[in-house]
Structure formats: structure tokens, C-alpha cells
Amino acid sequence: MRPESLLKLRSMRLTLGVAATATLVLCSVPLFGVHGAAAALVLGVLLPPWVAATGACLAQAPNRPPSCARLFGAGLMVGALVCAVPLLMLGLNALRVRNCAPYEGLLFMFLGPYLSCALAAEGGILAAETVPHARLARVLAAALPLAELGLALWRLYTTPAVFAYGHFFGYFPGPLYDADVRLPATYLVFRLGSLLLLAGIWIALNAARLPRRHPGRRAWLVAGAITACALALFDWLGPELGHRTTSAWIAERLGAERQGEHCTVVVPRELDRQQTRRLLQDCDFRVRQLQALLGVRQRRPVRVFFFRNPAEKRLLMGAGRTYVAKPWRSEAYLQLGGWPHPVLAHELAHVVSASMATGPFKVSGKLGGLWPSPALIEGLAVAASWPNADGLTPHQWARAMMEAQLAPPLNRIVGTSFLGQPAARAYTLAGSLLRFVLDQHGAAAVRRIYESGSVEGVLGMSIDELERRWKAHIAEVALPETARSRARARFASGSILASVCPHQVARLKLQLAGDLSAHDDARSAATCREILRIDPADDSTRAALVGVLARAGKLEPAHQQLNRLRSPGQARRPAPAPTRAFARRALADAMWQHGDHEQALREYQALLELPQSDAARRLLQVKTIALRSDPREQRLWFDLLVGGGRQAVDGALAVHLARELHGLRSDGLAAYLEGRQLVAHGRYKRAAAVLVRALDATLPTTEIELEARRLLGTASYAAGDLALAERSWRALAVLALPGGGLHAEAQDWLERIADGQ
């Protein structure tokens, strides 16, 4: 059947119009406006019902192809013509919006919309051949892709999965903010099943065309039965093939489970029992803390899955580097990440807040959460967990953003426009707002807001008035002088929806992390340049390139890249001061490495005057002390802080060097560094003893002393010495900036200690 004959069908013209309109809308959003996973998913969901109805109309047309082969071929042509529209439009849009992975994008389009539409068209033809009523056949044909979509949504609801595979819609890779999306091998395997389903439709179509007593019909029926069994086996093996998952399947892969008062933790079987116990105690404490803060009761046990790494997490439940909770299932899914776990409280807040919400998903929003409010959902989690991010609270970061003119108006945070904002900014601002409401109006008001999905209705004030009061409160929050510059560095990235090639950049940054860990300067430089070709405004990558070139002895090119951070051009502001400081520190390290100790010392001293993180400042202080020491001590410092070889300094070598330094120094700096390594490797009892010695011997700077006390408080609690832990954290609560991140962390630990006594 020729294309012009297909275009005579009214349903075909209508379907092509739907495809063109949908693609035009996709072209307005950079993430969806090119060939790739995002566009393929949207088109795979939207087009197949229309194509299936068109296939049914084709089979019912008076001039339909007479033979099964020609009719089947016409169905494939319907799918090809419909997909040609978005394929061409997105290809033209790529002249405006850059596509960094065109070949992978085309493969996504073939495996997604084309195969989905081809199956839908053939399914529509089969429906018309087997259902005598014409209109009913078209309805059933269109309902088939929708039914499979409904099954996928049901599995997303009833299992831990945040990914989905479907013959008619293709592949849903998981959370929007998880930028590391690539074409998985499991998708290719799944599409082999789709080809098997296509073969089954061909067999069923031939069997339906033959009279009941035709001698060849039995062979077609036998072939159909074999195909149906193969498809059933394919679905049954879904967890093994990576196409779906269950809680039991994940628990079996991880291998160990332990139950506490409020929590059950599922962890890798090889995890140390002490580590498992700490994770369970941490989870139980957080649930009790959240219940008291929000005035709710967690009736169901919370089940938390701790995966070995992001790759395993992506394989087993779909979210790689994105942490996820499903409140309606009372489950959270995280990868192991130190103790106390840095985001456990945030994800548990999602679960505990389920008792304040109605509807099937137990989240805040209109219509019982069916129209969710991301600002309230994520804002409450931030407000309840109240993280200490690089020494600052969400209130402090919010003020820093406002003063750096990075904060959008509140009406662009509250509501669905939340998703159009950069994630870090939106989460922080929404968390600060909800914490303000919690402190000013109480937990009861927050519970009503979360249940109704409406801030204005509960508080009886407009968003503008709430914003005015909130900003007035934020303006009184104490803020370090360096916070504004640090905010420009921390919140520089844009929304994933408007980013240039976000999936490719995320992949390259993971590759860069591996290159840097391997100390492969040549590959690191090549990867940096590839990222910068995609996004020349990526200041953090340019700063990393400065360090790579400097370590390789290419000081002139390194200085050129540093100058581009200082003066990027008229169209852009210079890179944030902390980013420039990072690059300059790498150059100073190279000076030390190449024997120019005096110049390196002057650069370290100058860098101490620039805004940067607390950890970066402490490291600069130590390097300054090191370069002022005698030659023998300086050699040890060099091996510890800079390193002369291509192998990274591991924990064992760091402890050895710190012990050597301890014999050459009268203060507690070497003991502090040894204790820091012991804490990082979970040797808490030994770490506490070493850190006590460090503090008794005095430490060279206030910042290092505060960090030593923080580490001692953590280590002594883990070692079971609650009295020492309490003394350490109480001292920090007095010494820290009131209302600051360290002060909030100290108060949190004092709550934990009181809970454990």
C-alpha cells in the first residue's frame, strides 16, 4: 500500500496532526526538543493509541490490502510515517538546540516511538480482524496501549521500581533529576521481546484470516501458542532480565535484613554488623525525631534499602544517583554513603509525612495528591531534616541566594513551576520557607498545609504577603561574609529542562571523576575539554582543567584557563570566587610539586583571603603550615598533601605519614589528621582517643579545632562514650555561629545523645 493511499484515511491525517502538534510542544523545551530518551518517552506514551486506532481503520477500509503480508506491511508503514514527523521536526530543531549524542538519540527514537507505533498499528489491524463491530474494534485497539501503560503505572505504584519498560510506550528511565540517562542493554533485550510480540501478532493475523476448518490453521495456532508461552516466560523472567523488580528481588540481591523499633534496613550481606547496627539506630532515631517535630505518628515500619553503589541501585530499582522514597509504601532507597547517612533524614521525612497526606500516593497536593505539589513535598523534607550543607543552613543559603540575586520569586517555587527551577535552588528555598512556617505557625499549620496542598488557604494570607514575611525573617539570619560568593558557585547550574545536553554532560562528568581518581592527566584533560565544548560556561570543569594541566607541568596553558575564569568575556560574569580559588590552589600545588616553595606559600596565603568552603580553608591552612616547616617535615607534608607519584594517598599511608609527623611536631595537628583518617574508615574508638590527644596538645587554627571537636563528637558517640560526645557537641554549640550550620548540627547531635541515654 502506497503512502498516498494511507493519507486518504481521515484517522491517518488526524494521527499525523497529533504527532506534529506534540512535537512542536516538545521543541519548546531543550531537554525534550532533540532525539533522545525524553522525547522518545513522551511520543511513545502519546502516539500508540492514535496509531492503533488508525491501524484498525486501515484494516476496515474498503481498499485495504487483500493479503496478510501486504496488510501487515501497511501497518509497519503507518508506524513509519507517523514517526517520520517527529523524527524530521526534532532533527530540524537540533539546528537550534544542540544534540550531543545524535546516534544514541536516533536509536532511542527507533527503539521507542517507531517500534511502539509499529506494534500499535499491527495490534489495531488484529483487533479489526477479530472484532466484528467496527467502532468497538477501534476502541479496543486504542485501549490496548493504554492498558499496558496502566499496568506499568501499577507496577510503579506497587513495587520499588522507578523505571518501566513497555512494548507500546518504550522505556521510562526514572526520576527527571537523574541526569545520567543512557541506553541500557536491558532495553535492547526487552525489544527482542517486542519483536517476539510482533511475530505473535503476525501469527494471530494469519490464523484469523483462515477459515476454522482450513488445514493450515492448526499450524498457525500451534505457532501462536508457542509464541504466547515464550512471551509469558519473558515477562516472568522480568526481574532477572532487568525489566521489572520487586522488594523481595532487591532484598535477595542485597542479602541482609535487620529490624528495629521503627525501621527495617536491607543492606549488602557483606556489610559489617556494627555498620548495620548504626544504620538501624540512625533510622530509628530519625523517625522518632521527625514524629516529635511534625506531631505525627508513624504507624507502619519504615523499610530502607541501602545499595552498594549507584550502579547497583539503578539496575535494581531505576534511580542511580538520585535518592528516592515512596511514602505510600513506607520505603526509601539509598546507596551507602557514610555514617550518619547524609540524606537518610530527608528521605525518611517523605515517608513520615505520609501520615499528614491523603490519596493513594500519600503526598501533598491538590485532589488528594493526584496533582502533587513538589514545593511542599520537597520543601517539607528539607525543613524537617534541616541539613548542614557546607557549614550553612537552608535559611543561610536562602539569604545568600537572595543577596546574590539567584533566588526566583516565591510564586515560581510554589506550584508545578518548581520543576522548571534548578533543583538545588528550588529545594533549598522551599525548605527555608516551610521551616519558617513551621517555626512561626507550628506543626499543626504545616500538617494542614501538607494535607490540603494550599499555603494561602491555611495561613489566610497571599503568597506575596508570605514571601514578604519570610524574606524579612531571612534578612535577620546571621551570614558569613563569604556566603554570597559560595552561593554563586553552589547554585550556578540551571534547570535540567533548559540545560544543554544534560545526559551527555552527566556521563562525561562521571568519566572525569574516574580519570581524576586514576591520576590519568591526559584523559582528564581530554574529558574536561569535551565537556567544555558542550558547555563553555561550565566553570567547575574549567577549574578542574587548570589543576590537570598544572599537575602535568603545563603551567602556561593552565594560566590561560585560569584567566578565562577571571575574564570569560563580555557576555558573562567572572567565575565565582570559590571556583577561581579551587583553580588557583591547584596551580599552587603544582608550584610546590615543581620545587617553587616560596611562590606556592605566597599563593596559599593569598588564597586564605578568598571565599571558599570550610574544608578548603582548613586544607589551605595546613598547607601554609607545611611550607613553613623544616625540610624533613616538609617532605612528609608533601607526600601527604600533594603527592609525588601517580598513586593516590590511601588511608593506610595517610595514617603512617601522620604518625611520622607526630614525632616532629609539638602541637596536635598530626594527631588531628590521623584521627580524621580513622573516622573516615570507621575506626571510631581509636579515632576518639587520637582526637582527644590532638585537642589536649592544642591546634594551630580555630577552624581546625572546631573540626577536631566535630569529629570527636561523632567518633565518641559511635564508640559508645556518650558523656564525651555530649561534652564535645555542647562545646561546639557554644563556639559555633548561632543559627549556622555547625550550630544546627550540634543541636541535632545533642538530640541524638539525649535520645540514646
Side-chain angles (χ1 to χ4, degrees), residues 227-239:
T227 305
C229 290
L231 283 168
L233 179 63
F234 188 81
D235 184 71
W236 185 66
L237 293 174

Side-chain angles (χ1 to χ4, degrees), residues 418-691:
F418 179 93
L419 297 175
Q421 300 297 322
R425 296 186 207 176
Y427 277 51
T428 302
L429 292 170
S432 173
L433 174 69
L434 265 291
R435 186 70 178 211
F436 168 72
V437 173
L438 180 65
D439 292 340
Q440 297 295 317
H441 299 273
V446 170
R447 291 196 299 271
R448 293 197 302 274
I449 289 170
Y450 201 82
E451 181 180 5
S452 65
S454 171
V455 177
E456 307 99 305
V458 173
L459 298 182
M461 68 178 75
S462 66
I463 288 292
D464 291 340
E465 175 62 17
L466 177 61
E467 182 174 22
R468 186 189 66 77
R469 296 187 184 188
W470 169 51
K471 286 186 173 180
H473 175 76
I474 293 299
E476 300 298 321
V477 172
L479 194 66
E481 292 182 4
T482 62
R484 296 166 194 81
S485 295
R486 289 163 61 192
R488 292 190 186 99
R490 180 180 176 85
F491 301 107
S493 60
S495 166
I496 189 174
L497 296 177
S499 299
V500 178
C501 304
H503 302 317
Q504 186 72 3
V505 169
R507 198 175 308 172
L508 286 170
K509 288 195 171 182
L510 286 176
Q511 179 180 316
L512 177 60
D515 296 340
L516 293 171
S517 297
H519 291 255
D520 190 334
D521 292 335
R523 286 197 59 180
S524 296
T527 306
C528 285
R529 290 194 170 98
E530 192 170 350
I531 295 171
L532 291 169
R533 276 195 293 270
I534 296 172
D535 184 8
D538 190 333
D539 293 329
S540 62
T541 298
R542 195 173 299 281
L545 179 58
V546 172
V548 170
L549 293 172
R551 282 193 300 274
K554 301 175 181 179
L555 297 183
E556 183 60 32
H559 276 101
Q560 291 174 1
Q561 295 296 332
L562 178 59
N563 289 334
R564 293 192 64 177
L565 289 172
R566 290 168 172 158
S567 304
Q570 296 181 354
R572 290 183 57 242
R573 297 174 61 178
T579 306
R580 301 198 308 272
F582 174 84
R584 287 178 61 183
R585 188 169 69 246
L587 271 172
D589 288 346
M591 294 170 189
W592 189 358
Q593 185 177 357
H594 291 93
D596 193 348
H597 296 179
E598 291 184 3
Q599 183 60 31
L601 178 58
R602 285 195 293 270
E603 188 68 9
Y604 288 145
Q605 290 172 326
L607 284 170
L608 283 170
E609 304 302 318
L610 295 181
Q612 54 204 297
S613 69
D614 294 342
R617 181 172 297 280
R618 289 193 302 269
L619 181 58
L620 282 171
Q621 290 171 344
V622 173
K623 288 181 176 180
T624 302
I625 292 168
L627 279 170
R628 287 172 174 161
S629 61
D630 62 63
R632 181 185 174 192
E633 185 181 332
Q634 194 176 118
R635 283 194 296 272
L636 293 173
W637 280 120
F638 177 80
D639 290 341
L640 178 62
L641 301 175
V642 179
R646 300 179 63 84
Q647 187 175 356
V649 177
D650 57 24
L653 179 57
V655 168
H656 168 74
L657 292 171
R659 290 275 178 93
E660 292 285 308
L661 285 165
H662 185 70
L664 301 176
R665 297 187 61 86
S666 60
D667 64 5
L669 183 57
Y672 156 75
L673 294 172
E674 180 184 347
R676 186 176 189 85
Q677 288 295 326
L678 291 170
V679 169
H681 290 81
R683 306 298 183 182
Y684 295 111
K685 188 172 182 179
R686 293 178 182 274
V690 172
L691 288 165

Side-chain angles (χ1 to χ4, degrees), residues 248-264:
W249 175 256
I250 294 175
E252 184 181 344
R253 301 281 78 73
L254 291 175
E257 190 166 337
R258 187 167 177 179
Q259 188 171 351
E261 179 187 359
H262 297 288
C263 296
T264 297

Side-chain angles (χ1 to χ4, degrees), residues 144-158:
L144 187 61
L146 295 175
E148 189 197 39
L149 182 61
L151 176 62
L153 292 173
W154 177 250
R155 284 176 172 171
L156 288 173
Y157 183 77
T158 58

Side-chain angles (χ1 to χ4, degrees), residues 98 131 171 280 283 321 350 531 535 616 633 677 743:
R98 185 173 181 181
V131 178
Y171 170 51
L280 183 59
C283 185
R321 297 185 178 274
H350 286 308
I531 295 171
D535 184 8
E633 185 181 332
Q677 288 295 326
H743 185 270

